[in-house]
Amino acid sequence: MTSLRRYLLVVQYDGAPYQGWQRQPGGPTVQTELERVLGTITGGSRTVTGSGRTDTGVHALGQVAAVDVPARWSACTLRRSMNALLPPEIWLREVRRVPADFHPRFHPTARAYEYRLGVAPEAASPFRSRWCWDLPGAGIDPDRLAAAALLIPGRRSFRRFARAGQPHRGEICEVAAADWTPWGRIGYRFRIEANRYLHRMVRYLVGTMVEIGLGRRPVAEMAEMLERPDTALRTSRPAPPEGLFLARVEYPPERVGDHPDRDPPSMDSPAA
C-alpha cells in the first residue's frame, strides 16, 4: 500500500473565470483545476479539501487546502510541479507538510476577508476593475463608512446580512475586527476577521455600508439590523463579487505542526 503524506496548500486565485471554489457540474472551479493537475502529476485521483467555499467571481490571496499525496513528493517538488501546470489564474503561494489529522475546514481559528472599493478614475481601468468594485466619482464619505464598520465587531446574529436559506448553519458569528482604510489613491479597503461567515455576509455588509457612505441610508439603520435581526429593515444589494478576496485563514500552531518539509511563500499578497 502506498504511503501518503498530507500537505497544506496556500492558494491564490483570480476568481473571475471560475464558478467558485467548490467542485460542481457545469463549469470550471478552482478545486477541479487543482485536482486535475494533482491527478496528472501523481498518477492517481486526489481530493483537495478547502477551508471553505468562495462564490463565483470571488478571489483568494490565502485560501487554504489540504491533499494527501504519495510520500515520494516533497513540498518543494509538489509546489513547483503544480505551479508549472496550473492555469495562470491559480498559483500556489506555499506548500507545507502537516499532521495527518489536519483538516482545513474544521480547524481554523479565524478567517479574514478584504473588499476593495475604487472611487478614483483609475478604478475603471481594465487593470483595476476586474479586482474591485469600481465606482469612480461616487462621492463616498469615508467617515460614514468608518462609522458603519465600527458597529460590526462582536458576537451576534448576522442573519439580516446573509442570503436566505441557511437554518442548518446557525446565524451567530463572532467578528473580531472590521474597518475601512485607504486603498492607496484608488479608493478604500474593507477588512474583516471572524470565526465564521454566513453566505454572502461580507458582500451584504459592504453593499449596505456603501449605501451609507453615499448618504442614501443613515448609520442608525446599520445598527438596527445588527442589533435586531428580526427588524423589518432590509440590507442594500450585495456588493459585486469582483471586489472580494479571501485574505487568510489562521490555525492553531499545534494543528499545522512545524515539519521541516515545507516550501515557504515567495511573496505576500499581490500589490494593491
Side-chain angles (χ1 to χ4, degrees), residues 208-223:
T208 303
M209 286 188 286
V210 167
E211 289 284 290
I212 291 170
L214 290 169
R216 297 172 183 169
R217 304 189 69 154
V219 177
E221 289 190 356
M222 185 84 174

Side-chain angles (χ1 to χ4, degrees), residues 59-73:
H59 318 294
L61 303 173
Q63 170 71 285
V64 173
V67 65
D68 295 330
V69 298
R72 67 179 181 273
W73 288 90

Side-chain angles (χ1 to χ4, degrees), residues 207-246:
T208 303
M209 286 188 286
V210 167
E211 289 284 290
I212 291 170
L214 290 169
R216 297 172 183 169
R217 304 189 69 154
V219 177
E221 289 190 356
M222 185 84 174
E224 181 171 346
M225 286 185 284
L226 287 166
E227 294 168 6
R228 297 178 52 211
D230 293 326
T231 180
L233 288 174
R234 292 184 173 271
T235 65
S236 302
R237 293 173 60 87
E242 56 265 27
L244 183 59
F245 294 75
L246 172 57

Side-chain angles (χ1 to χ4, degrees), residues 6-61:
R6 181 159 297 183
Y7 283 98
L8 176 153
L9 315 176
V10 180
V11 191
Q12 295 190 339
Y13 51 85
D14 175 355
Y18 299 101
Q19 293 187 2
W21 162 268
Q22 184 158 317
R23 184 192 318 110
Q24 58 183 299
T29 70
V30 178
Q31 183 184 30
T32 54
E33 286 298 313
L34 290 167
E35 291 176 346
R36 176 187 62 81
V37 168
L38 280 161
T40 298
I41 66 175
T42 67
S45 177
R46 304 291 164 200
T47 298
V48 176
T49 303
S51 66
R53 304 181 184 184
T54 52
D55 289 339
T56 299
V58 174
H59 318 294
L61 303 173

